[in-house]
Amino acid sequence: MPTISRDTAVQTVITTFEMTPGTCQDLLDELRDAYENFIRHQPGFLGAGLHVNDAHTRIANYSQWARREDFLAMLRSQEMRDRTRRFSELCRGFEPVMYDVADTFGG
């Protein structure tokens, strides 16, 4: 599971997808399948979470990787390129962005 900490040297990737309520479940199913059958088995994968907004028009995907290069290698694989084309058919657009944790707060 993902660990959010400034002191953890991992690559965080947050990808947001925009879609209609009519395709949200289909895209969520595709993302779950990608994680179950491909992504989680890739070198350097640490964990991920999928989040859906209440209107079913956005999915946020939070993932962590041991190294930036691990994420990029997965993204450039033929299987992920094929899956990415399918994701594109189900949404208006999506963008993976790499982040570093700036700070964390507890309650």
Side-chain angles (χ1 to χ4, degrees), residues 63-91:
S63 65
Q64 287 184 332
W65 296 80
R67 301 175 315 131
R68 175 187 184 97
E69 294 79 13
D70 295 327
F71 171 72
L72 292 173
M74 178 278 302
L75 203 58
R76 293 175 181 147
S77 70
Q78 186 60 51
E79 178 158 352
M80 198 62 203
R81 290 171 62 202
D82 293 342
R83 288 178 181 273
T84 298
R85 281 190 277 282
R86 176 69 178 136
F87 300 160
S88 294
E89 294 170 1
L90 295 170
C91 66

Side-chain angles (χ1 to χ4, degrees), residues 1-4 10-13 44-48 62-66 101:
M1 290 307 301
T3 300
I4 302 172
V10 300
Q11 180 62 66
T12 298
V13 181
F45 176 74
L46 301 174
Y62 182 95
S63 65
Q64 287 184 332
W65 296 80
V101 176

Side-chain angles (χ1 to χ4, degrees), residues 31 34-43 45 65 74 80:
L31 289 166
Y35 273 105
E36 272 299 313
N37 295 303
F38 179 68
I39 298 172
R40 72 184 191 112
H41 303 289
Q42 299 310 297
F45 176 74
W65 296 80
M74 178 278 302
M80 198 62 203

Side-chain angles (χ1 to χ4, degrees), residues 11-25:
Q11 180 62 66
T12 298
V13 181
I14 300 174
T15 305
T16 53
F17 298 83
E18 292 184 44
M19 79 289 303
T20 66
T23 59
C24 181
Q25 188 60 52

